[in-house]
Amino acid sequence: MDDKYFAKKIEKKWQDIWAASKAFEAEADPDNKKPKFYALEMLPYPSGNLHMGHVRNYSAGDALAWYKRLKGFNVLHPIGWDSFGQPAEDAAVKRGVDPREWTEKNIEAMRGQLERLGLSYDWRRQIYAHRPEYYKFDQWFFLKLYEMGLAYKRMTQVNWCETEKATLSNEQASGGLCWRCGNPVVKKDLEQWFLRTTAYTSELLEGMAAIESGWPQNVLKRQQDWIGRSDGAYVDFAVCGSDAKIRVFTTRIDTIYGTNAIVVAPQHEIVAENCASFDAATSAKIDEMIQESLKPKERDEVIEKDGVDTGLRAINPFSGDEVPVWVGNYVMMEYGTGALMSVPGHDERDHEFAVQFGLPITQVIAPLDADGDAVTLPFCEYGEVVNSGDWNGKPSTDAKREMAAFAASNGFGEPATTYRLRDWGISRQRFWGSPIPMIYCDKCGVVPEKFENLPVRLPDSAPITGTGESPLAKVPEFYETSCPSCDGPARRETDTMDTFVDSSWYYYRYLDPANEIMPFDPFAAAYWAPVDQYIGGDDHAVMHLIYARFWTKALRDMGLLQFDEPFTRLLTQGMVVGETFFDDSTGKRAYFAPEKVAVERDEKGRIVSATADGTALKFAIERMSKSKGNGVDPDEMVEIYGADATRLFVMFAAPIENELVWNEAAIEGAARFIQRIWRQTRAWVEFLDVHEAPSEASSSAARGLRRKTHQTIKRVGASLESLQFNTPVAALMELSNAVGDIKAEPSEADAEIRFAVREALTSLVLMLTPFSPHVAEELYSHLMASDAGMVASGARFPEFSEELAREDEIEIAVQVNGKLRSRVFAAPDASRETLEQLALADGRTQEFVAGQPIKKVVVVPGRLVNIVV
């Protein structure tokens, strides 16, 4: 074995061996000889280059895949490309390149990067969302959803990004900003295709119970909030002087006697029907609010409230009181009924509105334990109903139920449950997406394409202008077709699908990527799916992850799946961030490359000050970006330090859920650790005999090393089972230190030491494999000589022995009257009586006890003895 560790040479060697031996190709095992494990990271968009966030994500998934193989699982670990999308069209407009050519070139480059990292993917299963063999089944699913009544078209106000010239879903326009470019979004009327996600609203909410133990709580909470279940009642307020009624939804019907106004959205039908009766000032105010409402807003965004009294009046059906009808800018047509009853005594938002416009405030709920004390309004909790006629004295919970039933029995309302989730608008005015397989015939109307005619292929090219209209509408050879029903002339749909359609089901295509008839074989899905561990960013909590859950339930109802949830466990990794240096004195940030900045740091390495050319700079920790000067090229890191060191660093530097602050000095430490293991193995390997039988470790050195080895095996296994990737590396470093602490020279070591070292190094190398597989394979081949194949072909994670892992003796603190006075040593399982005897017999303890009566002795096994005198 070479004295020096050559990372590039060894890494290329093992990558070639793995590829030639098809080491990571997985096949379904109908006999279930091994348990299956489906490990998956979110697939990348082929932008052209990996960034360190990718490396961290894929290194974590690969570490888990290796660990599960070592534990005897049949592991499926695939990769593919989310390759439809807007950046390819942007490249076509800005650079004059063909989107297909740009995408294929980027895929080739990024696959090379992944291969140089040595990631253990089954490359046979690679999928490409932009190729017809994949998007054929986007279209297949669309037709199936259309048959099921889950796909439909309607005129709607869509979220429109003027910068991107594209429609956006509610999730993609969250906060009134485009999810891709960050610029403001406006509303625009367009006919759009929708998928009826609301058909599964209850299931999406209730199904969380099945995945609660395996998903991060913050992701589940965000999904719950997005779905937004509210239990309450509908109540109809009759409009005075007409037959019209305004229906409100309320979760607190017990407060209805405190209603001081009905507040409706600017676009509410009651406004449109009565606009002729409004004075000029009122009409102008409403028009202003309508224009403002066309700007998308975050669901829970706090806006400055505004409103106007329309002059209309409505009757509270419970009290008979007449209340004014206002238009309010904070009421949204798309939520609830577009109208609400304002109860300022018991709702903070209504209270602010009432104070602002001088509306009356009435208390109708009192705390259960108020005892007549004054209550500060708004009081928003449940309590006892007051000032509410016959309902006085009832607890809120009883009043809610009984008042909803009363409204239903008297014909002016009913109990109801509402949700905030809306159907998914998937129409996009884009070329680079899956064509929607629908046809418009003057005779037959809207007609679905025949399944046998799929895929509806994109043309070779289209005039991509970036001005908003669908490029396919300018390609007659695409849109001119025959009606599948009457064979007469017809026109194809020219919108394409939201690219989130592609990523909603790709993990099932991996199971059967060559199938030309079906999206996948249900039998393959029955074996491999659902995904056992999914890894990706939590920024997908309310888009991709909700859509994937919806898609899985729809596929179940198509008969393709026998389960309800796509991902059993979800891990959301933190971002990789870096130090940025900038000058914003001109009002616009100018970033500086780190090599041009003089930095002063404190003793903990934190930045104290930064200057460039005499100018004081500001500094921050921000998401990595080339434009900010803090981007790191993974290829450069692999070239300098090797793939194993790069991967080891991103796993060790921080807990996987936390942000990782990039520090190149630390990656040098990872490289040094690998070199140390290399040198240790080289020093010992020629003196170790793989056939040497275990010997009884009688020397303290051999016994101590074996104990450390088995403790490390236990610790690393437990950490990997719980998806902790940084603590195992720390444990491996400790084990390497323990090997280094052996004083005997390898050539002079006795059989006990030789066996303990061989066990330690072999275990160390096997446990290093998930993090740094190339060097692990190389060292394993030398340690095992010709007696074993490679790690990838059947090696097993080392087994630990509780007996060997147990400490010979542990330290027990001895206290006298609660103060530490001495320490004794005992076996880990020593009895209470033994520990008490050792403590009382200890010479130093006797100095503090002598001559004093002992009241009692408190023993905490394994920790301390406290003698009370």
Side-chain angles (χ1 to χ4, degrees):
M1 186 164 61
D2 292 335
D3 289 353
K4 190 173 180 182
Y5 169 60
F6 295 97
K8 288 170 62 177
K9 177 181 175 181
I10 288 170
E11 288 170 1
K12 182 66 168 64
K13 167 188 171 180
W14 284 101
Q15 288 164 15
D16 291 344
I17 291 173
W18 292 331
S21 64
K22 302 178 180 179
F24 309 124
E25 294 184 2
E27 300 293 347
D29 175 18
D31 297 327
N32 293 311
K33 295 174 184 174
K34 292 197 237 177
K36 72 91 180 176
F37 192 87
Y38 187 175
L40 186 64
E41 304 93 64
M42 293 181 185
L43 81 174
Y45 180 81
S47 59
N49 297 98
L50 295 180
H51 53 68
M52 292 309 300
H54 286 127
V55 175
R56 192 183 196 201
N57 186 11
Y58 303 143
S59 295
D62 205 51
L64 183 62
W66 271 104
Y67 171 67
K68 289 297 182 179
R69 289 190 200 99
L70 287 166
K71 294 295 286 185
F73 284 78
N74 185 21
V75 175
L76 175 62
H77 189 212
I79 190 70
W81 307 98
D82 191 11
S83 47
F84 267 142
Q86 179 188 337
E89 287 197 29
D90 290 345
V93 174
K94 296 174 184 177
R95 306 174 198 173
V97 299
D98 177 76
R100 284 188 186 84
E101 184 180 314
W102 186 84
T103 299
E104 293 285 352
K105 182 180 178 181
N106 288 350
I107 288 174
E108 181 181 0
M110 291 178 69
R111 173 167 175 167
Q113 289 183 292
L114 294 171
E115 289 177 329
R116 286 190 290 279
L117 284 166
L119 298 164
S120 62
Y121 291 126
D122 183 347
W123 285 103
R124 298 170 309 153
R125 298 175 182 269
Q126 186 175 206
I127 60 101
Y128 311 79
H130 73 285
R131 293 185 181 178
E133 57 266 29
Y134 184 87
Y135 70 72
K136 166 184 179 177
F137 293 106
D138 285 343
Q139 297 168 353
W140 190 94
F141 282 126
F142 182 93
L143 295 179
K144 287 290 185 182
L145 292 169
Y146 184 75
E147 288 179 353
M148 298 165 68
L150 296 175
Y152 66 95
K153 191 175 190 181
R154 65 176 169 85
M155 180 66 74
T156 185
Q157 278 196 331
V158 300
N159 302 310
W160 179 260
C161 177
E162 280 293 341
T163 305
E164 302 291 343
K165 302 297 181 184
T167 56
L168 305 171
S169 70
N170 288 339
E171 293 84 351
Q172 293 163 345
S174 181
L177 300 176
C178 174
W179 74 289
R180 186 177 294 280
C181 71
N183 287 318
V185 175
V186 297
K187 294 287 189 180
K188 185 175 181 177
D189 287 330
L190 283 178
E191 269 203 314
Q192 298 282 283
W193 285 98
F194 286 82
L195 299 183
R196 208 179 299 274
T197 49
T198 54
Y200 292 92
T201 304
S202 294
E203 275 202 70
L204 288 169
L205 197 58
E206 294 162 6
M208 291 182 193
I211 55 178
E212 186 174 14
S213 62
W215 281 44
Q217 289 304 304
N218 67 307
V219 173
L220 293 174
K221 177 66 165 58
R222 287 169 65 187
Q223 290 207 2
Q224 287 171 342
D225 291 345
W226 195 264
I227 294 167
R229 174 176 175 140
S230 296
D231 294 312
Y234 289 125
V235 181
D236 297 325
F237 285 71
V239 178
C240 297
S242 77
D243 295 330
K245 294 180 180 178
I246 301 175
R247 170 160 281 204
V248 304
F249 173 79
T250 177
T251 59
R252 293 295 304 272
I253 194 174
D254 56 314
T255 67
I256 197 167
Y257 277 80
T259 302
N260 71 346
I262 298 298
V263 186
V264 301
Q267 301 94 334
H268 196 281
E269 61 183 15
I270 201 68
V271 176
E273 291 169 359
N274 291 274
C275 60
S277 65
F278 301 156
D279 60 38
T282 301
S283 295
K285 189 68 174 178
I286 292 172
D287 288 343
E288 178 186 321
M289 286 190 282
I290 289 174
Q291 291 305 309
E292 184 65 25
S293 72
L294 296 179
K295 302 173 183 179
K297 297 176 178 62
E298 190 72 54
R299 288 180 171 207
D300 299 314
E301 180 180 344
V302 177
I303 62 174
E304 186 176 342
K305 294 177 179 59
D306 201 358
V308 63
D309 188 346
T310 65
L312 300 175
R313 297 294 179 263
I315 301 300
N316 184 328
F318 275 85
S319 67
D321 293 340
E322 191 176 284
V323 295
V325 178
W326 282 65
V327 173
N329 67 337
Y330 62 96
V331 184
M332 308 290 181
M333 272 307 299
E334 55 265 38
Y335 301 123
T337 64
L340 57 83
M341 61 183 209
S342 176
V343 184
H346 305 285
D347 182 275
E348 290 183 5
R349 178 188 55 186
D350 297 344
H351 190 272
E352 291 175 10
F353 192 76
V355 170
Q356 182 175 347
F357 291 102
L359 297 175
I361 300 173
T362 303
Q363 179 185 351
V364 292
I365 302 292
L368 292 173
D369 56 356
D371 294 329
D373 295 339
V375 176
T376 300
L377 300 180
F379 173 68
C380 302
E381 306 300 321
Y382 286 156
E384 178 182 307
V385 176
V386 297
N387 301 321
S388 299
D390 294 341
W391 307 94
N392 286 343
K394 288 185 176 290
S396 290
T397 50
D398 293 346
K400 280 182 63 175
R401 182 181 62 256
E402 294 174 16
M403 293 171 86
F406 180 82
S409 64
N410 285 275
F412 57 78
E414 59 185 320
T417 298
T418 64
Y419 299 89
R420 301 174 79 183
L421 183 70
R422 294 296 178 262
D423 287 340
W424 174 15
I426 65 162
S427 293
R428 298 292 180 268
Q429 291 69 49
R430 292 287 181 192
F431 166 69
W432 199 233
S434 176
I436 296 174
M438 301 300 287
I439 293 170
Y440 302 98
C441 173
D442 289 340
K443 180 180 178 181
C444 304
V446 181
V447 183
E449 182 57 275
K450 293 180 179 178
F451 284 95
E452 57 264 32
N453 292 340
L454 301 181
V456 176
R457 292 175 177 266
L458 287 171
D460 292 337
S461 63
I464 304 171
T465 63
T467 57
E469 66 275 15
S470 176
L472 295 178
K474 299 178 180 179
V475 185
E477 57 268 34
F478 172 79
Y479 65 72
E480 290 178 352
T481 188
S482 298
C483 174
S485 182
C486 71
D487 206 33
R491 181 185 179 92
R492 288 196 183 282
E493 171 64 70
T494 55
D495 282 355
T496 54
M497 297 185 203
D498 182 2
T499 54
F500 276 100
V501 169
D502 307 318
S503 58
S504 291
W505 70 278
Y506 75 98
Y507 41 92
Y508 296 126
R509 185 64 176 172
Y510 285 144
L511 312 181
D512 193 14
N515 196 324
E516 298 179 0
I517 308 302
M518 296 279 287
F520 55 86
D521 185 342
F523 290 102
Y527 177 77
W528 286 115
V531 174
D532 293 287
Q533 181 66 62
Y534 200 32
I535 302 176
D538 72 352
D539 50 334
H540 294 292
V542 296
M543 287 192 285
H544 164 57
L545 291 171
I546 279 186
Y547 298 152
R549 295 183 62 221
F550 156 75
W551 211 274
T552 293
K553 296 175 193 309
L555 266 57
R556 176 204 61 200
D557 291 346
M558 293 176 195
L560 294 174
L561 302 173
Q562 303 300 317
F563 50 86
D564 301 326
E565 295 291 340
F567 314 119
T568 303
R569 295 204 301 177
L570 173 69
L571 172 66
T572 54
Q573 91 281 355
M575 291 188 298
V576 180
V577 296
E579 296 172 342
T580 59
F581 304 93
F582 57 92
D583 177 13
D584 61 1
S585 59
T586 63
K588 184 176 181 180
R589 280 193 176 190
Y591 284 96
F592 288 74
E595 61 268 19
K596 296 183 178 180
V597 179
V599 179
E600 180 186 352
R601 299 179 185 272
D602 63 16
E603 66 280 0
K604 294 185 178 180
R606 295 173 299 199
I607 302 172
V608 175
S609 65
T611 58
D613 299 326
T615 301
L617 302 180
K618 294 183 179 179
F619 44 88
I621 300 296
E622 297 182 319
R623 189 169 190 164
M624 278 190 166
S625 166
K626 288 183 180 179
S627 65
K628 295 178 180 178
N630 69 346
V632 175
D633 184 353
D635 278 351
E636 185 179 334
M637 295 299 101
V638 171
E639 179 69 23
I640 297 172
Y641 302 106
D644 281 339
T646 302
R647 292 173 56 166
L648 186 72
F649 166 70
V650 295
M651 290 293 91
F652 173 60
I656 191 67
E657 300 89 349
N658 295 357
E659 283 187 346
L660 187 162
V661 180
W662 183 260
N663 181 346
E664 192 160 337
I667 194 173
E668 292 175 1
R672 288 195 298 270
F673 172 58
I674 290 174
Q675 291 161 2
R676 184 173 71 188
I677 297 174
W678 179 271
R679 290 193 301 271
Q680 287 177 329
T681 305
R682 180 189 176 279
W684 280 96
V685 69
E686 64 179 288
F687 305 103
L688 304 179
D689 183 358
V690 71
H691 300 295
E692 190 170 27
S695 60
E696 186 68 31
S698 57
S699 73
S700 61
R703 197 165 59 247
L705 182 56
R706 294 202 71 190
R707 178 167 58 247
K708 187 64 175 178
T709 297
H710 285 266
Q711 289 174 343
T712 304
I713 295 169
K714 181 178 182 180
R715 180 179 168 189
V716 170
S719 294
L720 288 173
E721 289 290 344
S722 60
L723 305 182
Q724 298 175 50
F725 297 105
N726 59 322
T727 52
V729 178
L732 296 181
M733 291 177 175
E734 292 176 13
L735 180 57
S736 174
N737 290 340
V739 173
D741 289 340
I742 294 295
K743 303 303 182 185
E745 290 295 322
S747 59
E748 299 173 359
D750 59 26
E752 287 184 14
I753 292 293
R754 288 198 306 272
F755 180 83
V757 170
R758 181 169 70 82
E759 181 183 47
L761 287 175
T762 304
S763 298
L764 176 58
V765 164
L766 286 171
M767 290 185 287
L768 181 66
T769 304
F771 306 97
S772 302
H774 308 88
V775 67
E777 283 278 23
E778 183 70 16
L779 293 177
Y780 184 77
S781 70
H782 289 277
L783 284 165
M784 302 306 292
S786 59
D787 285 54
M790 54 186 177
V791 178
S793 65
R796 289 290 174 263
F797 197 82
E799 298 287 337
F800 83 93
S801 162
E802 276 292 3
E803 182 66 29
L804 290 171
R806 186 178 295 118
E807 294 282 355
D808 285 351
E809 288 187 329
I810 58 174
E811 186 178 273
I812 304 294
V814 180
Q815 299 175 342
V816 178
N817 288 353
K819 294 184 178 181
L820 180 65
R821 296 303 187 186
S822 185
R823 293 179 174 85
V824 296
F825 293 88
D829 56 356
S831 66
R832 290 174 179 270
E833 292 75 15
T834 299
L835 293 176
E836 182 176 337
Q837 291 169 7
L838 286 170
L840 292 172
D842 176 65
R844 181 159 175 76
T845 304
Q846 290 177 351
E847 295 176 12
F848 294 93
V849 174
Q852 301 181 73
I854 296 174
K855 293 185 176 181
K856 65 178 177 178
V857 178
V858 178
V859 178
V860 181
R863 292 183 57 193
L864 63 85
V865 177
N866 183 26
I867 302 168
V868 182
V869 297

